[in-house]
Amino acid sequence: VFLSLFSPKLANTAGGRAEKQRCPVVLDAFDQQYSAELGDAWAAAREVLTSPWCWQYALLLNKFRQSAQLEDTLSEKGYHPAFQGSLPYLPASFRCYIRRTPGRFPAQKHQAGKLKEYYLLNAASLLPVLALEVRDGEDVLDLCAAPGGKSVALLQCACPGQFHCNEYDVWRWRWLQQTIESFIPQPLMSFITVTQLDGRHIGDLQPELYDKVLVDAPCSNDRSWLFSSDTQQAMLRLTARKELPSLQFQLLRSAVQALRPGGALVYSTCTLSRAENSDVINLLLNSCSDVIPVDLSQMAKAVSQEFTFLSGMQQHELLVLPEKGRAWGPMYVAKLKKT
């Protein structure tokens, strides 16, 4: 419902190259909030978030269209496999490449009937997928799935029994459909369902149907919002932001209803905002007696070479802070289990 507001402005530089323009209204709001919440950690994150030229991009390889030539090219360009640590869960079929230097590998255009070789993304966005630990044959729900990167990543890990990808916003739902068509071969489409339902009601419609649920919730997307296209749009975003924790909590409650007892849920956002992260999870834990936290500290330790995490978080949550040379995030991840 809020996502139609989210698209950064591009302005032409003297050389004709498009460059994102920072939005002072959003930056002022972030400075006030995050200086208080993050202290000194905000300065380093701020420097990265406001400087798109130092952003880094990872490549998630598509196991359904493997290319030895692509991996040779990546190696030549200074890329190396990510997630080298001893992760609790890292399927051999899950392959991601990163490099320390900024820059973006060329994107591949959507071509009907032809699968893409890789997906460009923020490497931190793969942490919720790895935290979910999907196994072959499990029934999985991606509650807020567009644009589809995490859905594609989940399918690189395992072959679910049923995979339900949902997106409420119609424009983003179409984007999700196209993403899945671009990465997943037609024979596998038989166990994938793509719907346009209000995620707040899926738990009522499909109670205790899933083994694993991912809630990558609508949030105040810090990277995108800092480049709001105009002041009026920025003000609308900042006003709508106050309603987001309520929406996120309702989505989580729905996800808990949709989970089978013993099932796991991962909640993620791409914001640093405490109100949309820890506060929402704490509210859920305090109001749902059948939900318990799951320790993520082993995963965090295994990827500590690649990501910078905010210290002082609880064991069931992580917050990736962008910094130069490791410009991944923001990404908040929390894991819960239904008893």
Short mmCIF file of all heavy atoms in Angstrom, two decimals, residues 112-168:
data_model
loop_
_atom_site.label_atom_id
_atom_site.label_comp_id
_atom_site.label_asym_id
_atom_site.label_seq_id
_atom_site.Cartn_x
_atom_site.Cartn_y
_atom_site.Cartn_z
N ALA A 112 11.50 -13.26 -22.86
CA ALA A 112 10.51 -14.33 -22.72
C ALA A 112 11.10 -15.65 -23.18
O ALA A 112 11.69 -15.74 -24.27
CB ALA A 112 9.26 -13.99 -23.52
N GLY A 113 10.96 -16.67 -22.35
CA GLY A 113 11.42 -18.00 -22.72
C GLY A 113 12.90 -18.25 -22.51
O GLY A 113 13.40 -19.34 -22.81
N LYS A 114 13.65 -17.25 -22.01
CA LYS A 114 15.09 -17.41 -21.80
C LYS A 114 15.44 -17.06 -20.36
O LYS A 114 15.13 -15.98 -19.88
CB LYS A 114 15.87 -16.52 -22.76
CG LYS A 114 17.37 -16.75 -22.72
CD LYS A 114 18.09 -15.93 -23.77
CE LYS A 114 19.59 -16.21 -23.75
NZ LYS A 114 20.32 -15.38 -24.74
N LEU A 115 16.07 -18.01 -19.67
CA LEU A 115 16.41 -17.79 -18.27
C LEU A 115 17.65 -16.91 -18.12
O LEU A 115 18.59 -17.00 -18.92
CB LEU A 115 16.67 -19.12 -17.57
CG LEU A 115 15.51 -20.11 -17.49
CD1 LEU A 115 15.94 -21.36 -16.72
CD2 LEU A 115 14.29 -19.48 -16.83
N LYS A 116 17.64 -16.07 -17.09
CA LYS A 116 18.80 -15.24 -16.77
C LYS A 116 19.84 -16.07 -16.02
O LYS A 116 19.51 -17.05 -15.35
CB LYS A 116 18.39 -14.04 -15.92
CG LYS A 116 17.52 -13.03 -16.66
CD LYS A 116 17.24 -11.82 -15.77
CE LYS A 116 16.37 -10.80 -16.50
NZ LYS A 116 16.13 -9.60 -15.67
N GLU A 117 21.11 -15.65 -16.16
CA GLU A 117 22.20 -16.39 -15.51
C GLU A 117 22.44 -15.94 -14.08
O GLU A 117 23.01 -16.69 -13.28
CB GLU A 117 23.49 -16.20 -16.31
CG GLU A 117 23.47 -16.83 -17.69
CD GLU A 117 24.75 -16.54 -18.46
OE1 GLU A 117 25.30 -15.42 -18.33
OE2 GLU A 117 25.19 -17.44 -19.19
N TYR A 118 22.05 -14.72 -13.74
CA TYR A 118 22.34 -14.20 -12.41
C TYR A 118 21.37 -13.08 -12.04
O TYR A 118 20.72 -12.49 -12.89
CB TYR A 118 23.78 -13.67 -12.32
CG TYR A 118 24.11 -12.62 -13.36
CD1 TYR A 118 23.84 -11.26 -13.15
CD2 TYR A 118 24.70 -12.98 -14.57
CE1 TYR A 118 24.14 -10.30 -14.11
CE2 TYR A 118 25.00 -12.04 -15.54
CZ TYR A 118 24.72 -10.70 -15.30
OH TYR A 118 25.01 -9.75 -16.25
N TYR A 119 21.30 -12.83 -10.72
CA TYR A 119 20.45 -11.77 -10.17
C TYR A 119 21.35 -10.81 -9.41
O TYR A 119 22.12 -11.22 -8.54
CB TYR A 119 19.42 -12.40 -9.22
CG TYR A 119 18.30 -11.48 -8.79
CD1 TYR A 119 17.04 -11.60 -9.35
CD2 TYR A 119 18.47 -10.52 -7.80
CE1 TYR A 119 15.98 -10.77 -8.95
CE2 TYR A 119 17.44 -9.69 -7.40
CZ TYR A 119 16.20 -9.82 -7.98
OH TYR A 119 15.16 -9.01 -7.59
N LEU A 120 21.28 -9.52 -9.73
CA LEU A 120 22.06 -8.50 -9.03
C LEU A 120 21.32 -8.07 -7.77
O LEU A 120 20.12 -7.76 -7.82
CB LEU A 120 22.27 -7.28 -9.94
CG LEU A 120 23.15 -7.47 -11.16
CD1 LEU A 120 23.13 -6.22 -12.04
CD2 LEU A 120 24.59 -7.78 -10.76
N LEU A 121 22.04 -8.01 -6.65
CA LEU A 121 21.37 -7.65 -5.40
C LEU A 121 22.37 -7.16 -4.36
O LEU A 121 23.58 -7.20 -4.54
CB LEU A 121 20.57 -8.84 -4.85
CG LEU A 121 21.16 -10.25 -4.91
CD1 LEU A 121 22.41 -10.41 -4.07
CD2 LEU A 121 20.11 -11.26 -4.47
N ASN A 122 21.81 -6.68 -3.26
CA ASN A 122 22.57 -6.34 -2.07
C ASN A 122 22.83 -7.65 -1.33
O ASN A 122 21.89 -8.36 -0.97
CB ASN A 122 21.72 -5.38 -1.22
CG ASN A 122 22.42 -4.88 0.01
OD1 ASN A 122 23.21 -5.58 0.65
ND2 ASN A 122 22.14 -3.64 0.37
N ALA A 123 24.09 -8.00 -1.11
CA ALA A 123 24.42 -9.32 -0.54
C ALA A 123 23.73 -9.56 0.80
O ALA A 123 23.40 -10.70 1.14
CB ALA A 123 25.94 -9.46 -0.38
N ALA A 124 23.48 -8.49 1.56
CA ALA A 124 22.83 -8.66 2.87
C ALA A 124 21.40 -9.17 2.73
O ALA A 124 20.87 -9.79 3.66
CB ALA A 124 22.83 -7.33 3.62
N SER A 125 20.79 -8.97 1.57
CA SER A 125 19.40 -9.43 1.37
C SER A 125 19.31 -10.95 1.29
O SER A 125 18.21 -11.52 1.32
CB SER A 125 18.79 -8.79 0.13
OG SER A 125 19.42 -9.26 -1.04
N LEU A 126 20.45 -11.63 1.21
CA LEU A 126 20.44 -13.09 1.19
C LEU A 126 20.45 -13.69 2.60
O LEU A 126 20.16 -14.88 2.78
CB LEU A 126 21.65 -13.60 0.40
CG LEU A 126 21.65 -13.24 -1.09
CD1 LEU A 126 22.96 -13.62 -1.74
CD2 LEU A 126 20.47 -13.90 -1.81
N LEU A 127 20.76 -12.87 3.59
CA LEU A 127 20.80 -13.39 4.97
C LEU A 127 19.44 -13.91 5.45
O LEU A 127 19.39 -14.96 6.10
CB LEU A 127 21.35 -12.33 5.92
CG LEU A 127 22.83 -11.97 5.71
CD1 LEU A 127 23.24 -10.85 6.66
CD2 LEU A 127 23.73 -13.18 5.88
N PRO A 128 18.32 -13.23 5.16
CA PRO A 128 17.03 -13.79 5.57
C PRO A 128 16.76 -15.17 4.95
O PRO A 128 16.17 -16.04 5.59
CB PRO A 128 16.01 -12.76 5.08
CG PRO A 128 16.77 -11.48 4.94
CD PRO A 128 18.16 -11.89 4.56
N VAL A 129 17.19 -15.34 3.70
CA VAL A 129 16.99 -16.62 3.01
C VAL A 129 17.81 -17.72 3.69
O VAL A 129 17.30 -18.82 3.95
CB VAL A 129 17.40 -16.48 1.53
CG1 VAL A 129 17.39 -17.84 0.83
CG2 VAL A 129 16.47 -15.49 0.82
N LEU A 130 19.07 -17.43 4.01
CA LEU A 130 19.91 -18.42 4.67
C LEU A 130 19.42 -18.70 6.09
O LEU A 130 19.50 -19.83 6.57
CB LEU A 130 21.37 -17.95 4.69
CG LEU A 130 22.02 -17.84 3.31
CD1 LEU A 130 23.41 -17.23 3.41
CD2 LEU A 130 22.10 -19.20 2.61
N ALA A 131 18.87 -17.68 6.74
CA ALA A 131 18.34 -17.87 8.10
C ALA A 131 17.11 -18.77 8.11
O ALA A 131 16.86 -19.48 9.08
CB ALA A 131 18.00 -16.52 8.72
N LEU A 132 16.34 -18.76 7.02
CA LEU A 132 15.10 -19.54 6.97
C LEU A 132 15.36 -21.05 6.87
O LEU A 132 14.54 -21.86 7.31
CB LEU A 132 14.23 -19.06 5.80
CG LEU A 132 12.76 -19.48 5.83
CD1 LEU A 132 12.06 -18.98 7.08
CD2 LEU A 132 12.04 -18.95 4.59
N GLU A 133 16.50 -21.42 6.28
CA GLU A 133 16.93 -22.83 6.21
C GLU A 133 15.87 -23.74 5.58
O GLU A 133 15.45 -24.75 6.16
CB GLU A 133 17.31 -23.35 7.61
CG GLU A 133 18.44 -22.58 8.25
CD GLU A 133 18.96 -23.22 9.54
OE1 GLU A 133 18.81 -24.44 9.69
OE2 GLU A 133 19.53 -22.49 10.37
N VAL A 134 15.47 -23.42 4.36
CA VAL A 134 14.45 -24.22 3.66
C VAL A 134 15.04 -25.55 3.19
O VAL A 134 16.15 -25.59 2.64
CB VAL A 134 13.88 -23.43 2.46
CG1 VAL A 134 12.95 -24.31 1.64
CG2 VAL A 134 13.16 -22.19 2.95
N ARG A 135 14.29 -26.63 3.39
CA ARG A 135 14.70 -27.97 2.97
C ARG A 135 13.77 -28.47 1.86
O ARG A 135 12.62 -28.01 1.73
CB ARG A 135 14.60 -28.94 4.15
CG ARG A 135 15.25 -28.46 5.43
CD ARG A 135 16.76 -28.45 5.37
NE ARG A 135 17.34 -27.95 6.62
CZ ARG A 135 18.64 -27.80 6.84
NH1 ARG A 135 19.51 -28.13 5.90
NH2 ARG A 135 19.10 -27.34 7.99
N ASP A 136 14.26 -29.43 1.09
CA ASP A 136 13.45 -30.04 0.03
C ASP A 136 12.14 -30.57 0.60
O ASP A 136 12.12 -31.20 1.67
CB ASP A 136 14.20 -31.20 -0.64
CG ASP A 136 15.34 -30.72 -1.52
OD1 ASP A 136 15.42 -29.51 -1.82
OD2 ASP A 136 16.17 -31.57 -1.92
N GLY A 137 11.04 -30.31 -0.11
CA GLY A 137 9.75 -30.86 0.26
C GLY A 137 8.95 -30.02 1.25
O GLY A 137 7.77 -30.29 1.47
N GLU A 138 9.56 -29.00 1.87
CA GLU A 138 8.83 -28.15 2.80
C GLU A 138 7.90 -27.20 2.06
O GLU A 138 8.18 -26.78 0.93
CB GLU A 138 9.80 -27.34 3.67
CG GLU A 138 10.57 -28.19 4.65
CD GLU A 138 11.49 -27.37 5.54
OE1 GLU A 138 12.02 -26.33 5.08
OE2 GLU A 138 11.72 -27.78 6.70
N ASP A 139 6.78 -26.87 2.69
CA ASP A 139 5.84 -25.90 2.13
C ASP A 139 6.24 -24.51 2.63
O ASP A 139 6.36 -24.30 3.85
CB ASP A 139 4.41 -26.24 2.55
CG ASP A 139 3.95 -27.56 1.96
OD1 ASP A 139 4.31 -27.86 0.80
OD2 ASP A 139 3.24 -28.32 2.66
N VAL A 140 6.44 -23.58 1.69
CA VAL A 140 7.04 -22.29 2.00
C VAL A 140 6.14 -21.16 1.52
O VAL A 140 5.60 -21.21 0.41
CB VAL A 140 8.44 -22.16 1.35
CG1 VAL A 140 9.09 -20.83 1.69
CG2 VAL A 140 9.34 -23.32 1.79
N LEU A 141 6.05 -20.11 2.33
CA LEU A 141 5.32 -18.90 1.98
C LEU A 141 6.27 -17.71 2.02
O LEU A 141 6.92 -17.47 3.03
CB LEU A 141 4.16 -18.67 2.96
CG LEU A 141 3.46 -17.30 2.91
CD1 LEU A 141 2.79 -17.06 1.57
CD2 LEU A 141 2.43 -17.18 4.04
N ASP A 142 6.36 -16.98 0.90
CA ASP A 142 7.05 -15.69 0.85
C ASP A 142 5.95 -14.64 0.83
O ASP A 142 5.32 -14.40 -0.20
CB ASP A 142 7.94 -15.63 -0.40
CG ASP A 142 8.87 -14.42 -0.42
OD1 ASP A 142 8.69 -13.52 0.42
OD2 ASP A 142 9.75 -14.36 -1.31
N LEU A 143 5.68 -14.03 1.98
CA LEU A 143 4.46 -13.26 2.19
C LEU A 143 4.43 -11.93 1.42
O LEU A 143 3.38 -11.50 0.96
CB LEU A 143 4.28 -12.99 3.69
CG LEU A 143 2.94 -12.45 4.15
CD1 LEU A 143 1.84 -13.49 3.97
CD2 LEU A 143 3.01 -12.03 5.62
N CYS A 144 5.60 -11.28 1.31
CA CYS A 144 5.70 -9.97 0.62
C CYS A 144 6.84 -10.10 -0.38
O CYS A 144 7.94 -9.60 -0.16
CB CYS A 144 5.98 -8.86 1.62
SG CYS A 144 4.94 -8.87 3.10
N ALA A 145 6.59 -10.81 -1.47
CA ALA A 145 7.68 -11.40 -2.26
C ALA A 145 8.33 -10.48 -3.30
O ALA A 145 9.46 -10.73 -3.70
CB ALA A 145 7.18 -12.66 -2.96
N ALA A 146 7.62 -9.46 -3.79
CA ALA A 146 8.20 -8.63 -4.86
C ALA A 146 9.41 -7.85 -4.34
O ALA A 146 9.46 -7.50 -3.17
CB ALA A 146 7.13 -7.68 -5.40
N PRO A 147 10.39 -7.59 -5.22
CA PRO A 147 10.42 -7.89 -6.65
C PRO A 147 10.79 -9.33 -7.01
O PRO A 147 10.81 -9.68 -8.17
CB PRO A 147 11.47 -6.91 -7.19
CG PRO A 147 12.39 -6.71 -6.04
CD PRO A 147 11.54 -6.74 -4.81
N GLY A 148 11.12 -10.15 -6.01
CA GLY A 148 11.32 -11.57 -6.28
C GLY A 148 12.71 -12.11 -6.03
O GLY A 148 12.94 -13.31 -6.18
N GLY A 149 13.64 -11.25 -5.63
CA GLY A 149 15.01 -11.72 -5.41
C GLY A 149 15.12 -12.79 -4.34
O GLY A 149 15.84 -13.78 -4.51
N LYS A 150 14.40 -12.63 -3.24
CA LYS A 150 14.48 -13.63 -2.17
C LYS A 150 13.75 -14.91 -2.57
O LYS A 150 14.16 -16.01 -2.18
CB LYS A 150 13.93 -13.05 -0.87
CG LYS A 150 14.82 -11.93 -0.30
CD LYS A 150 14.27 -11.39 1.00
CE LYS A 150 15.16 -10.28 1.56
NZ LYS A 150 15.17 -9.07 0.71
N SER A 151 12.68 -14.78 -3.36
CA SER A 151 12.00 -15.98 -3.87
C SER A 151 12.95 -16.80 -4.75
O SER A 151 13.05 -18.03 -4.63
CB SER A 151 10.76 -15.59 -4.68
OG SER A 151 9.80 -14.94 -3.89
N VAL A 152 13.65 -16.11 -5.65
CA VAL A 152 14.63 -16.77 -6.52
C VAL A 152 15.72 -17.41 -5.67
O VAL A 152 16.14 -18.56 -5.92
CB VAL A 152 15.22 -15.76 -7.53
CG1 VAL A 152 16.45 -16.34 -8.22
CG2 VAL A 152 14.18 -15.35 -8.55
N ALA A 153 16.20 -16.69 -4.65
CA ALA A 153 17.26 -17.21 -3.80
C ALA A 153 16.81 -18.46 -3.03
O ALA A 153 17.57 -19.41 -2.88
CB ALA A 153 17.72 -16.13 -2.82
N LEU A 154 15.57 -18.45 -2.55
CA LEU A 154 15.03 -19.63 -1.85
C LEU A 154 15.04 -20.85 -2.76
O LEU A 154 15.34 -21.97 -2.32
CB LEU A 154 13.60 -19.35 -1.36
CG LEU A 154 13.48 -18.46 -0.12
CD1 LEU A 154 12.05 -17.94 0.03
CD2 LEU A 154 13.88 -19.22 1.13
N LEU A 155 14.73 -20.64 -4.03
CA LEU A 155 14.68 -21.76 -4.98
C LEU A 155 16.07 -22.21 -5.42
O LEU A 155 16.21 -23.28 -6.01
CB LEU A 155 13.83 -21.37 -6.20
CG LEU A 155 12.34 -21.25 -5.89
CD1 LEU A 155 11.60 -20.54 -7.02
CD2 LEU A 155 11.72 -22.61 -5.62
N GLN A 156 17.10 -21.41 -5.13
CA GLN A 156 18.48 -21.86 -5.35
C GLN A 156 18.90 -22.82 -4.23
O GLN A 156 19.83 -23.61 -4.40
CB GLN A 156 19.45 -20.67 -5.38
CG GLN A 156 19.14 -19.60 -6.40
CD GLN A 156 19.06 -20.12 -7.82
OE1 GLN A 156 19.94 -20.85 -8.29
NE2 GLN A 156 18.00 -19.75 -8.52
N CYS A 157 18.22 -22.72 -3.09
CA CYS A 157 18.59 -23.51 -1.91
C CYS A 157 17.96 -24.90 -1.90
O CYS A 157 18.60 -25.88 -1.51
CB CYS A 157 18.15 -22.78 -0.64
SG CYS A 157 18.99 -21.22 -0.33
N ALA A 158 16.69 -24.96 -2.25
CA ALA A 158 15.94 -26.21 -2.09
C ALA A 158 14.74 -26.23 -3.03
O ALA A 158 14.40 -25.21 -3.65
CB ALA A 158 15.47 -26.36 -0.65
N CYS A 159 14.12 -27.39 -3.12
CA CYS A 159 12.91 -27.56 -3.94
C CYS A 159 11.72 -27.77 -3.00
O CYS A 159 11.51 -28.88 -2.50
CB CYS A 159 13.08 -28.76 -4.87
SG CYS A 159 11.69 -29.01 -5.97
N PRO A 160 10.96 -26.71 -2.71
CA PRO A 160 9.84 -26.86 -1.77
C PRO A 160 8.77 -27.80 -2.29
O PRO A 160 8.67 -28.06 -3.49
CB PRO A 160 9.29 -25.42 -1.67
CG PRO A 160 10.37 -24.53 -2.20
CD PRO A 160 11.10 -25.35 -3.21
N GLY A 161 7.94 -28.30 -1.36
CA GLY A 161 6.78 -29.08 -1.78
C GLY A 161 5.79 -28.18 -2.49
O GLY A 161 5.36 -28.46 -3.61
N GLN A 162 5.44 -27.07 -1.83
CA GLN A 162 4.66 -25.99 -2.44
C GLN A 162 5.34 -24.67 -2.08
O GLN A 162 5.78 -24.50 -0.94
CB GLN A 162 3.22 -26.00 -1.93
CG GLN A 162 2.38 -27.15 -2.44
CD GLN A 162 2.14 -27.08 -3.94
OE1 GLN A 162 1.94 -26.02 -4.50
NE2 GLN A 162 2.18 -28.24 -4.60
N PHE A 163 5.40 -23.76 -3.04
CA PHE A 163 6.02 -22.46 -2.81
C PHE A 163 5.02 -21.37 -3.18
O PHE A 163 4.66 -21.23 -4.35
CB PHE A 163 7.31 -22.33 -3.63
CG PHE A 163 8.13 -21.11 -3.29
CD1 PHE A 163 8.13 -20.57 -2.02
CD2 PHE A 163 8.92 -20.50 -4.26
CE1 PHE A 163 8.89 -19.45 -1.70
CE2 PHE A 163 9.69 -19.40 -3.97
CZ PHE A 163 9.67 -18.87 -2.67
N HIS A 164 4.56 -20.65 -2.17
CA HIS A 164 3.55 -19.60 -2.36
C HIS A 164 4.24 -18.24 -2.28
O HIS A 164 4.74 -17.85 -1.23
CB HIS A 164 2.48 -19.74 -1.28
CG HIS A 164 1.37 -18.74 -1.39
ND1 HIS A 164 0.30 -18.72 -0.51
CD2 HIS A 164 1.14 -17.72 -2.26
CE1 HIS A 164 -0.52 -17.73 -0.84
NE2 HIS A 164 -0.01 -17.11 -1.89
N CYS A 165 4.26 -17.52 -3.40
CA CYS A 165 4.83 -16.17 -3.45
C CYS A 165 3.67 -15.18 -3.54
O CYS A 165 2.86 -15.26 -4.46
CB CYS A 165 5.73 -16.00 -4.67
SG CYS A 165 7.07 -17.19 -4.78
N ASN A 166 3.62 -14.26 -2.62
CA ASN A 166 2.49 -13.31 -2.57
C ASN A 166 2.99 -11.88 -2.62
O ASN A 166 4.03 -11.54 -2.05
CB ASN A 166 1.68 -13.52 -1.29
CG ASN A 166 0.51 -12.57 -1.21
OD1 ASN A 166 -0.46 -12.70 -1.95
ND2 ASN A 166 0.59 -11.56 -0.33
N GLU A 167 2.24 -11.02 -3.30
CA GLU A 167 2.52 -9.58 -3.34
C GLU A 167 1.21 -8.82 -3.53
O GLU A 167 0.48 -9.07 -4.48
CB GLU A 167 3.49 -9.25 -4.48
CG GLU A 167 3.77 -7.77 -4.64
CD GLU A 167 4.27 -7.11 -3.36
OE1 GLU A 167 5.22 -7.63 -2.75
OE2 GLU A 167 3.70 -6.05 -2.98
N TYR A 168 0.93 -7.91 -2.61
CA TYR A 168 -0.35 -7.20 -2.60
C TYR A 168 -0.42 -6.09 -3.66
O TYR A 168 -1.43 -5.92 -4.33
CB TYR A 168 -0.58 -6.62 -1.21
CG TYR A 168 -1.91 -5.92 -1.02
CD1 TYR A 168 -3.11 -6.55 -1.33
CD2 TYR A 168 -1.97 -4.62 -0.52
CE1 TYR A 168 -4.33 -5.92 -1.15
CE2 TYR A 168 -3.18 -3.97 -0.33
CZ TYR A 168 -4.35 -4.63 -0.66
OH TYR A 168 -5.55 -3.99 -0.48
#
